[in-house]
Amino acid sequence: MKKKTVAKRAAAFMLAGILSVGTVACSKNTTDDNAAGTTNNAGGNNAKNVELKFSHIWGSAADPFTPAAKKVIDDYQAANPNVKIKVDTNENEAYKTKIKAMAAANELPDIFSTWGGGFSEPFVKSNSVVQLDSYLTDDLKNKLVNGALTNVTYDGKVYGLPFFLSCGALFVNTELFENNGVKIPTTWDELLTAVKTFKSKGITPMAVSGKDKWTIAMYFDVIALRAAGPEKITKTLTKQGSFKDPEFLNAANRFKELVDAGAFSKGAAGVSNDEAEVPFFEGKIPMMFKGSWTAGKAGSKDSKVAGKIKAISFPSIPDGVGNPKQFTGGAVDAVMVSANSKNKEEAIKFQIYFAENMARESYLSGASMPAWKTDVDESKLNPSLVDVVDLTKDAESFTIWWDTLLAGKDTETYLNALQELFMGTKTPEKFVDSLQSIYGK
């Protein structure tokens, strides 16, 4: 079972690893280039000039991770003047297609952002990425929270470094609930009542993008988790069970019940994720089930909903075996290095630096929970993020999202079938049949 426990934050942030990339980053450097293609580094030694291509997804001004990623990259280049990081930023969904195509064409950049589990499994199986175990000293591994490497470990070997923990949560606008006399839901019936009440008042209850299918999956994944529990979900997604088990039909029926109750906008199928989020962050939609990164945007200084958003756990569902202490997510987002990089050692040094420092900077910015042990003053953090951290303190498990755990074409089979269920062009029974087709029968 792919199940993770978030370790208690360590009291100290240890910078003295064997690779000492963090120490290098804090040192003063010179930037004198010479004709031999070398640059004087912090130690006064000539270092070969290197350009590393880095593809990732944090380029949007609206993305709370963008400033953190830029700072980490800029800091590394300032500390290592012989290294130039050539950045290629992409939109999330387009990037998934692009990076798969680059891997297939043997054209992966030196370093790239990715997701653990089934998404990166083809990269590992095709020997397209660097296996990292020989670089991971005990000191380095001790800087990571427990279980952080689970989703980037394949056949006992580590191929990627994560930087933050994410979990799914139901974000509710407490002001809209209070002004409309609606109880914040703790049960399935209360959730349906909230949906119907908001709907009757002309307020779209929940934000989702039917165009970016992964946002629909955020809702279905947690409903399925409530229906089947973490063990059965992981077992079935890794083809050791059956989607024909009644828990999956129950999940599909409950999802359809939510859709039929009017939870989502009729026009949701035609809007992107960015477009779907706008009314939520403008305080016009009361609920959105999303990853913990939502807290960063909701609690930012210029947010129209700052101080109004509360993160709660998705309620249990009738006849389900799961419970609200079980969360979707985990340490999934990671960086990997191409096996074909001409500057592999430099790429790995940057990979380690980026993962550790991205964890810290994105936590400080309020965008995420870190997968690395870090010591920061939490009283100065985004209160919405602290809310999510508090929500998961007693977590029993974190189960990776379906579109990450499933591999290759199975992901598209799931997302396409789910989109059809969402649009009403496929019944719950046919949806389950489509899922079972992943097993080849």
Side-chain angles (χ1 to χ4, degrees), residues 201-434:
K201 293 174 178 285
I203 300 171
T204 299
M206 292 177 155
V208 74
S209 160
K211 189 175 179 181
D212 290 330
K213 291 171 278 191
W214 66 270
T215 72
I216 313 173
M218 295 292 292
Y219 286 91
F220 183 78
D221 287 3
V222 73
I223 292 174
L225 184 63
R226 296 290 179 267
E231 290 85 2
K232 174 159 281 193
I233 290 293
T234 303
K235 189 176 179 181
T236 307
L237 292 179
T238 53
K239 301 185 180 180
Q240 302 171 66
S242 172
F243 287 107
K244 289 292 189 179
D245 287 348
E247 291 87 352
F248 294 98
L249 181 58
N250 182 26
N253 280 324
R254 297 301 172 187
F255 179 76
K256 185 175 185 302
E257 190 176 7
L258 200 60
V259 173
D260 291 347
F264 308 107
S265 163
K266 288 185 177 178
V271 300
S272 67
N273 175 55
D274 288 346
E275 293 168 331
E277 285 187 339
V278 168
F280 176 80
F281 287 114
E282 288 182 341
K284 298 176 181 175
I285 288 182
M287 292 181 279
M288 181 168 71
F289 192 90
K290 260 309 176 41
S292 44
W293 56 84
T294 300
K297 193 171 180 179
S300 64
K301 291 179 181 177
D302 57 351
S303 170
K304 294 180 180 178
V305 293
K308 301 175 184 176
I309 303 300
K310 179 180 177 60
I312 64 173
S313 188
F314 198 87
S316 298
I317 68 170
D319 303 319
V321 301
N323 69 67
K325 289 186 177 181
Q326 296 161 344
F327 293 88
T328 51
V332 177
D333 294 71
V335 280
M336 292 184 173
V337 168
S338 169
N340 290 326
S341 172
K342 295 179 180 177
N343 299 292
K344 201 173 299 178
E345 296 300 317
E346 287 289 348
I348 293 169
K349 281 178 62 179
F350 173 62
Q351 176 189 28
I352 295 170
Y353 176 88
F354 181 84
E356 181 175 1
N357 288 278
M358 183 66 172
R360 176 182 171 80
E361 293 301 328
S362 57
Y363 188 37
L364 284 171
S365 70
S368 70
M369 300 181 288
W372 293 66
K373 299 167 185 173
T374 184
D375 184 21
V376 300
D377 183 358
E378 293 190 344
S379 68
K380 297 180 180 178
L381 294 179
N382 181 325
S384 295
L385 181 60
V386 174
D387 204 26
V388 178
V389 173
D390 288 342
L391 182 67
T392 57
K393 278 183 176 176
D394 297 322
E396 292 180 357
S397 66
F398 291 85
T399 303
I400 191 170
W401 286 291
W402 284 36
D403 62 351
T404 304
L405 185 54
L406 289 169
K409 293 181 179 178
D410 293 345
T411 301
E412 286 307 308
T413 298
Y414 163 55
L415 292 176
N416 290 337
L418 182 59
Q419 188 181 46
E420 292 179 273
L421 178 65
F422 174 75
M423 297 175 69
T425 56
K426 182 163 280 191
T427 65
E429 289 78 9
K430 292 294 184 184
F431 169 71
V432 169
D433 288 344
S434 294

Side-chain angles (χ1 to χ4, degrees), residues 100-227:
K100 289 176 182 175
M102 294 177 81
N106 208 22
E107 295 176 350
L108 282 171
D110 297 291
I111 180 170
F112 60 98
S113 66
T114 186
W115 296 267
F119 185 87
S120 290
E121 189 176 31
F123 307 155
V124 174
K125 285 187 173 180
S126 61
N127 297 314
S128 299
V129 291
V130 174
Q131 192 255 100
L132 295 171
D133 291 83
S134 60
Y135 298 91
L136 302 182
T137 65
D138 288 342
D139 284 344
L140 188 65
K141 286 189 282 189
N142 285 336
K143 293 181 180 181
L144 290 150
V145 300
N146 290 342
L149 296 175
T150 300
N151 292 319
V152 289
T153 300
Y154 301 83
D155 293 329
K157 303 294 183 182
V158 177
Y159 289 86
L161 288 177
F163 32 88
F164 60 79
L165 294 164
S166 298
C167 75
L170 183 60
F171 292 90
V172 300
N173 185 316
T174 55
E175 184 179 72
L176 282 177
F177 272 82
E178 184 177 345
N179 290 347
N180 289 281
V182 182
K183 184 180 184 296
I184 293 177
T186 58
T187 67
W188 179 253
D189 287 342
E190 289 177 355
L191 178 63
L192 289 178
T193 298
V195 165
K196 293 172 182 175
T197 303
F198 281 119
K199 184 72 176 174
S200 70
K201 293 174 178 285
I203 300 171
T204 299
M206 292 177 155
V208 74
S209 160
K211 189 175 179 181
D212 290 330
K213 291 171 278 191
W214 66 270
T215 72
I216 313 173
M218 295 292 292
Y219 286 91
F220 183 78
D221 287 3
V222 73
I223 292 174
L225 184 63
R226 296 290 179 267

